[in-house]
Every structure is written in structure tokens, then in C-alpha cells.
Amino acid sequence: MKRFSLYILFLFLAFPAISQINANRALINGRAALSYNDYIIAIQYFNKVIEYKPQLAEAYFFRAIAKIQLEDFTGAINDCHKFLLINPYDPRAYYARGYAQRNLGNHEKALLDFSKALEFNPNNVDYQLSKIEALIKNEKFEDALLEISHLHALNKEKENLLLIEKGFIFFQQGDTIKAFNTFTDAIKKSPKQIEAWGARAYINLISEKDSAALNDYNQAISRNSKNSGHYINRGILNFKLNNYKLALSDYNKAIELDSFDTKSLFNRGILHFKLGDLNNAIKDFSNALSKDDNYDEVRYQRALAFLEINNYVSAKNDLNIIIEKHPNFAPAFYNRAKAEQALGNNIIASKNYYIAEKLIKEKTNSKFNNSKKQFASYQSIINERTKRFNTDYNSKEKYEDNLRGNIQNNSYQLSIQNNYDISYYSQNFTILDSKNFHLLIEQFNHKNNSKFVITNKETSLAESQEKYHLKEIETLSESINKKPNNHSFYFKRGIHYSLLKNYELAINDFNSSIKNDSNFLLAYFTRANTLYKLYNYMLSLDIKPVYKNDNSKQNYIKLIQQDYDKILELVPNFHFAFLNKGNIYFQEKDYQNAIVYYTSAINTNSYFGDAYFNRGISYLIINETNKGLQDLSKAGELGVHQAYSLIKQFQP
């Protein structure tokens, strides 16, 4: 099958003249960045085009393609919709939107879009294949078979692909004999066809014809299969035959091909467990759970492994989760009893033994099956060949620049963007526009010959920098002695103290700055931020935060919030204060109030990507996933690249 390469086909088409030369240049640069897999940079260029020329449909289309490459399918759908509002006659946008809908599991909508694309371009093979897959996903099998016959009449080159797809449809209909015969015909017509061997192997596997299945998987793999499922299933067969070394090799290869496949991690963990390599078993089970926290079979096996290494607390924690979800699963109660007994909780252990025995006598069990190894299911060959929107241009090359390529595959924890503060330093940004700007800071710099920046990327100071700040403190102290009422001198010295992590002296200076100018917003801002740093520093040392003999944690936080409120009273559009205040609520697990302040930051500055990002995470935590994904998509669009890893983790 021809690789899916929608945007490259149109990358160098001529576009209408743009009145603003910078918009034209941004469009050219964006297309170039896209062709070099610089998706984050490309999106920033297309943002500029849209800013200058919001009616230029192509910018939305290419931005959608970049988002698809980053697996932000929700964002891509939104951009395709905007494109189609301007130009409803372009099949590419329907095709791209259908592809995104399909990846979100919206198969009915995907079918509508693929069908619409074919109205405008009825002979496009890629559109036809995608429609066939959508029909299968919607269980419209007879319609899919008709489409296959129609495509086969038009395109004889696709005969073997279509034959395999017919076999898959028969399999979906439950006719494994007809499916087996169809896959056999495909093998006879083209013995080099890897997917035909793999498909027939799967039919043999589920029919418990292990020898035939192993032979077919050997044939597929000997032809250099890149399908991780082939290796997983051959590994399971080798495991059954006690060929543990071969099984381990197969699982390792499956993980190499697809590190996100939890089945390969689960099966390798089972093998490590069988061999007594319990630490590696636990490592594999934990890795699988980090990718799918609802994988109950994995959690149960990890609990058993924890029991084996006498880690009874961890075993009990896993078993608690299993029992909560599967209250009729007797083995979980039995093993939790063992853990409780080992921990000296004999009464609790007896209760668990009693429940286990009762469930066994009642012959009651949950549907949860802890012993079954997980096969990799056979998928539509069309689906397998279009896992990526443009596989020709998605190399697995590791880039030195972590903003290039498919950055959604990078690991990123569920943590918010940090507070903003005023500093002398800021890490360099590779995103086109700096998000760190406010007129008040620029005015202060101009008036006081300063070079302050506002940033949430703190840097560690080198020894030479520490010496510089100490020297500046001496100089400013001399200036303060001469002009003790100058608020700017105290403010500057306070920042030097803060950078040296001498927070109490920094706070004293900000107090003095405010005393000399009660409307000096920047001093309120830095005082609040420094109080927050001191608060977190004391928490990190497990010291109860105390400020001015006030032992109340809430009063401590109240002092910080009062400063942010004063800032917003003086300058209501200072969006950094909204974000910082939202972060305080987030840290205190008051996610609803955090959302309120992130929303205020967004309303003040609709280009503030960090506010969308933090609000998105807050929504995810309170299980409003759709809102969270929408916000993360917008954050990614605005340059917060970590959003794409989280989108991939949390989208359906």
C-alpha cells in the first residue's frame, strides 16, 4: 500500500498572494519546518499566518497536519473544521479530519468524512481504503465487502491487500474458516506478504493449533516483520513450549518495536516471574501500569511478585485496588490475608481468609482472570499501515533538539508549569515568540537601566554568578545608605538576595520597597513569589512554615495571596499573578479555585499557553478529560510542548 502522505503531496503547491510579507514568509517557513519534522516550530509559524491572515484556509490545514503528527487529534479536528468553514470543497481536509476522528475512536464521524472526501475525489485509493476501514469499525461488513469489490475492479495492484482485508472482515463476522481460507489464498498469491502469514497465524493461535501458528509466525518474522504483535504471540507460543530464551527474545523485540504496547510488558513480566527474576518482573508490571493504570491482570501479578519478595505493604496496596474493582475475586482476598498476616494484622487477615473461603464455597468469582496471558489481537491491515499520518516522514531518529520530531513520545509527568518570577536570567527559548512580556517590566528596565526578565524557568547559578550578585548587593547597599527612600534600590537588592536563596533578607528588602512606594506592583509580585519559595523550601525540609511568628499554614498562604490580590487591584491585566495564584490553589489540591484563576489568566491574555496547560491538568485531575484535552491542545498550539505527551497519555 502507498504510504499515507497527505501533506507532502500538497506541500509545494502555489498559494494566493498574501498582502503582509511577514505572513507569506511565515507560511513558507512553516511548510519548510513541517517537511523537516519540526512540528512545534511549524505550528508557531502557522499561528503567525493565522494572526495576520485569519481567512487563509491553508494555514489551518497545515497546522492540523502538524498536530496530527503530534497525535493531538482533538486540535487537528478543530483546525480542519476552521479550514472547511472557509473552503468546504477540499477533500484533503475531510480526509485529515476523518483520520483524526478515527484515532479518537469516533468511527461514525470518520466514515462521514472519508465518504465526503470521496465525493470530491472518487478515485483516490487512500480515501477508499480509509472508508473501508471505517465501515469495518462501524460493523458495516457487507458494505465494506462491496467497497472492496469496487476498489479491486479499479485497482488490480491492491488485490492482495484487499484479499487480506476480506479475510479480516470474515474474521470479524465470526467465520474463522472462511477467514483462514482467504488468508491462505493470499499467501498462495503472494508468499512474501508478511501480514497474510501473520493473519493466518492468529487464526491458528486462537484455534489452539500451536504448531501451525508457530510456523506461520516464523514465516512472517523471517520476512522481517515490523509488527510487534507477531513477536508477542510467537513469544507466548515459545513460552508454552518452555523455550524461555526464545520467548524473552521475542518479547524484547516487541517492546523495541512498540514501547507503548502493554501486552509485551505483561508477558515479559510473566516470564521473568516464572524464571524467578522478581525484580525485573515487578519492573515490567510497573512499566505496563504506568501506561495503563486499569490493567488489572498486571496489577494482580505485581501484587503476587511483591508477596514473593516480602514487600507486603506494596502487595496489599495493589490487592486493595483489585478487590475494590472485583469484590468477588477470591484469590485477591486470600493473598491480602497473607500480606496482613505477615504484617502482624492477624484479625484483619482472618477476616480476609473468611471472605475468600466464603466466595469459594459460593462458587462466586469475578470476570477478572489473573492467569490468562495476553495475545496481541489481529487488526485490519489498513489500520496497521496507517498508524501514522505520514509514515514516510516519521523517522525514528533521535534528535538532539528535544522539540523536533514526534515529541509526544517523550515521557512527561502530570505536573503544572511553575510560577513566574522576575529575574536577571531566563533559559533560552526555541519557540518563535517569547511569552514572557509585560509593559510594566519593560518600563521599569528603561527607567532604571535594568535588564530584568519575567520567567518560570529558574537556572542554577555558577560560582562566578554568585560572586557577581554578592558584589551587586554591596553596591546597592551603598546606594541605599545614600538614598534610603529609593524603592528601586531595595527592589533590585531583594532580587539579588532571592537568586542567592537568601529569602528572608529578600523579603525584608521587598517590604522596604513597598514601604517607600505602596503602589509598586513589581515589589508585591516578587515578595509573594519569594514567600512562596520560602514556604516550599521549609516544606521540603519537613519544617512547619513560620513567618513573623505565625504558625498557621493557611495564614502563611493568605499573606502570599494578599500580595497577588494587591497586584491585580493595581494592574488587573497582570496575567502572571493570576497563574501564580492558581498554582497555590493547585498545590493545596483546591483544583476548582485553581481553574478559576487559570481562567482569569486566559481571559486576560488569550495567548498565555502555560495557563491553558495548568488548567488542562487541573481538569484531568478532576476527571473532566474532554475539557482537559482541549486546554492541552491549545497549550501545545501556543508552544507548551509538554502538552503533547499528556495528550497522548489521556486521549481515548
Side-chain angles (χ1 to χ4, degrees):
M1 171 183 169
K2 183 180 178 181
R3 298 289 181 123
F4 203 120
S5 53
L6 176 62
Y7 81 77
I8 294 298
L9 295 175
F10 297 90
L11 198 56
F12 298 106
L13 290 179
F15 288 92
I18 306 173
S19 58
Q20 288 94 340
I21 191 168
N22 45 358
N24 187 41
R25 174 54 55 188
L27 186 63
I28 293 170
N29 290 343
R31 288 157 56 197
L34 198 57
S35 69
Y36 283 100
N37 299 344
D38 285 332
Y39 308 124
I40 293 291
I41 300 298
I43 288 171
Q44 301 309 305
Y45 279 121
F46 297 135
N47 288 348
K48 276 297 178 190
V49 179
I50 290 165
E51 180 182 347
Y52 292 129
K53 297 285 288 184
Q55 291 304 308
L56 185 60
E58 298 294 340
Y60 295 105
F61 173 71
F62 284 118
R63 191 170 70 177
I65 302 307
K67 289 178 180 179
I68 284 174
Q69 301 291 2
L70 295 168
E71 298 181 61
D72 175 14
F73 302 118
T74 299
I77 289 167
N78 291 338
D79 276 345
C80 287
H81 179 68
K82 291 172 183 175
F83 175 95
L84 290 166
L85 288 175
I86 301 168
N87 179 5
Y89 306 107
D90 194 322
R92 300 173 302 162
Y94 291 106
Y95 182 38
R97 190 171 68 179
Y99 179 84
Q101 294 283 14
R102 186 196 74 183
N103 279 275
L104 290 176
N106 302 327
H107 299 300
E108 289 185 10
K109 292 180 179 179
L111 178 57
L112 290 173
D113 276 334
F114 293 140
S115 298
K116 193 70 175 177
L118 283 166
E119 286 182 22
F120 296 106
N121 191 350
N123 296 322
N124 187 294
V125 174
D126 289 336
Y127 297 0
Q128 291 171 325
L129 289 172
S130 294
K131 182 180 179 182
I132 289 168
E133 187 204 356
L135 287 167
I136 293 170
K137 292 291 186 181
N138 285 286
E139 298 186 359
K140 296 183 178 182
F141 300 122
E142 296 304 323
D143 289 343
L145 289 170
L146 288 173
E147 288 289 335
I148 287 173
S149 298
H150 174 69
L151 180 55
H152 183 254
L154 295 175
N155 196 318
K156 297 293 184 182
E157 294 178 4
K158 302 293 181 182
E159 180 181 8
N160 215 55
L161 166 65
L162 296 174
L163 197 57
I164 295 171
E165 205 60 31
K166 282 181 70 173
F168 177 69
I169 292 171
F170 294 141
F171 173 73
Q172 290 290 94
Q173 290 178 310
D175 192 339
T176 54
I177 294 175
K178 191 177 284 188
F180 180 90
N181 292 336
T182 305
F183 294 140
T184 301
D185 288 344
I187 290 169
K188 289 178 180 178
K189 289 179 181 295
S190 180
K192 295 181 180 180
Q193 176 56 260
I194 293 170
E195 293 300 336
W197 288 105
R200 193 174 73 173
Y202 186 74
I203 298 292
N204 282 321
L205 181 68
I206 63 173
S207 302
E208 298 186 354
K209 298 176 181 178
D210 292 349
S211 178
L214 182 62
N215 179 67
D216 281 350
Y217 280 125
N218 286 339
Q219 291 288 344
I221 290 168
S222 70
R223 290 166 171 78
N224 198 27
S225 171
K226 301 298 181 185
N227 187 329
S228 63
H230 295 166
Y231 293 92
I232 293 171
N233 291 345
R234 190 175 74 168
I236 290 170
L237 290 166
N238 279 318
F239 182 93
K240 289 177 70 175
L241 293 169
N242 299 324
N243 295 329
Y244 299 136
K245 186 175 181 180
L246 292 176
L248 181 61
S249 177
D250 280 337
Y251 296 147
N252 288 342
K253 182 64 176 179
I255 292 166
E256 177 189 325
L257 289 169
D258 186 356
S259 61
F260 284 87
D261 193 319
T262 54
K263 292 184 180 67
S264 51
L265 290 165
F266 172 68
N267 283 299
R268 191 172 71 176
I270 293 291
L271 177 56
H272 284 311
F273 199 132
K274 174 77 173 179
L275 297 175
D277 187 359
L278 298 171
N279 288 326
N280 273 323
I282 290 169
K283 185 178 178 181
D284 277 343
F285 296 146
S286 297
N287 197 359
L289 285 169
S290 72
K291 302 175 192 309
D292 182 0
D293 191 52
N294 293 315
Y295 204 157
D296 297 329
E297 292 90 340
V298 173
R299 192 176 299 281
Y300 182 72
Q301 291 297 330
R302 188 174 71 171
L304 297 182
F306 279 137
L307 282 174
E308 289 293 320
I309 64 171
N310 302 329
N311 186 343
Y312 302 114
V313 172
S314 295
K316 188 174 76 169
N317 289 339
D318 275 345
L319 291 166
N320 287 343
I321 295 171
I322 293 294
I323 288 168
E324 183 178 351
K325 295 171 72 174
H326 304 276
N328 295 322
F329 185 52
F333 285 98
Y334 177 76
N335 284 295
R336 189 168 69 174
K338 289 172 62 177
E340 294 285 11
Q341 189 171 25
L343 292 168
N345 304 324
N346 293 325
I347 295 175
I348 299 174
S350 296
K351 289 180 180 179
N352 277 272
Y353 279 126
Y354 172 77
I355 294 170
E357 291 295 329
K358 183 180 179 183
L359 289 171
I360 291 170
K361 287 179 181 178
E362 293 173 355
K363 297 182 180 180
T364 303
N365 209 339
S366 74
K367 294 179 181 178
F368 170 57
N369 183 344
N370 66 293
S371 61
K372 181 180 178 182
K373 289 179 282 294
Q374 298 295 302
F375 295 144
S377 60
Y378 173 67
Q379 300 293 325
S380 160
I381 189 172
I382 297 174
N383 177 266
E384 285 296 310
R385 293 193 172 199
T386 58
K387 281 185 175 178
R388 287 284 183 266
F389 196 66
N390 174 28
T391 48
D392 284 332
Y393 288 84
N394 278 328
S395 74
K396 297 196 179 284
E397 174 184 2
K398 295 289 184 183
Y399 299 111
E400 292 183 7
D401 182 350
N402 64 3
L403 294 183
R404 290 195 66 199
N406 296 106
I407 62 168
Q408 72 273 22
N409 295 330
N410 297 337
S411 177
Y412 187 77
Q413 299 300 316
L414 195 68
S415 58
I416 57 175
Q417 297 291 294
N418 295 331
N419 275 16
Y420 277 82
D421 202 0
I422 295 171
S423 177
Y424 285 95
Y425 308 105
S426 177
Q427 293 180 5
N428 292 329
F429 291 98
T430 54
I431 305 301
L432 295 178
D433 282 337
S434 174
K435 56 196 170 184
N436 307 338
F437 174 84
H438 198 279
L439 184 59
L440 278 175
I441 299 168
E442 298 305 310
Q443 289 173 340
F444 182 88
N445 283 339
H446 180 73
K447 184 177 179 180
N448 294 275
N449 194 28
S450 303
K451 294 182 179 179
F452 288 122
V453 294
I454 188 162
T455 180
N456 65 344
K457 309 292 183 187
E458 287 194 0
T459 56
S460 299
L461 299 182
E463 185 178 351
S464 60
Q465 291 171 316
E466 290 178 356
K467 290 179 179 178
Y468 165 76
H469 290 296
L470 289 170
K471 180 65 176 175
E472 286 296 300
I473 287 170
E474 289 180 13
T475 302
L476 284 164
S477 296
E478 292 173 3
S479 299
I480 288 169
N481 287 334
K482 295 175 183 177
K483 294 183 178 181
N485 297 323
N486 187 307
H487 68 280
S488 297
F489 292 155
Y490 290 106
F491 174 70
K492 290 180 180 180
R493 191 174 70 175
I495 292 178
H496 287 293
Y497 277 131
S498 181
L499 286 168
L500 291 169
K501 302 191 184 308
N502 194 334
Y503 297 132
E504 291 187 1
L505 287 179
I507 291 167
N508 289 339
D509 272 351
F510 297 139
N511 290 340
S512 297
S513 181
I514 291 167
K515 183 179 179 181
N516 286 295
D517 184 351
S518 61
N519 291 321
F520 185 34
L521 174 145
L522 299 182
Y524 287 104
F525 187 62
T526 49
R527 184 172 71 178
N529 297 335
T530 309
L531 278 167
Y532 189 54
K533 290 175 186 176
L534 180 60
Y535 170 76
N536 282 312
Y537 175 70
M538 287 188 284
L539 286 179
S540 71
L541 298 177
D542 202 22
I543 299 172
K544 187 173 184 178
V546 178
Y547 182 63
K548 290 186 176 180
N549 299 319
D550 189 338
N551 293 322
S552 168
K553 173 183 172 184
Q554 289 305 317
N555 282 339
Y556 196 105
I557 293 173
K558 187 177 179 181
L559 285 170
I560 301 169
Q561 292 176 331
Q562 283 174 347
D563 274 347
Y564 289 134
D565 289 339
K566 181 65 176 179
I567 295 163
L568 295 168
E569 175 190 322
L570 293 169
V571 183
N573 71 347
F574 199 72
H575 53 280
F576 302 107
F578 283 120
L579 181 127
N580 287 9
K581 190 170 181 182
N583 283 356
I584 293 173
Y585 282 114
F586 185 96
Q587 181 170 320
E588 298 304 309
K589 296 183 170 39
D590 185 351
Y591 302 115
Q592 294 291 355
N593 267 319
I595 288 168
V596 168
Y597 282 95
Y598 296 143
T599 301
S600 295
I602 291 165
N603 291 339
T604 306
N605 181 355
S606 61
Y607 294 95
F608 196 15
D610 286 341
Y612 284 103
F613 184 84
N614 289 4
R615 190 174 72 173
I617 287 181
S618 301
Y619 278 131
L620 291 179
I621 289 173
I622 64 175
N623 294 320
E624 293 194 34
T625 305
N626 289 336
K627 288 183 178 179
L629 291 173
Q630 289 283 355
D631 273 351
L632 290 176
S633 175
K634 186 65 176 179
E637 180 184 303
L638 292 170
V640 187
H641 61 91
Q642 299 94 332
Y644 293 108
S645 173
L646 297 179
I647 289 169
K648 180 167 184 173
Q649 289 181 49
F650 284 93
Q651 73 185 355

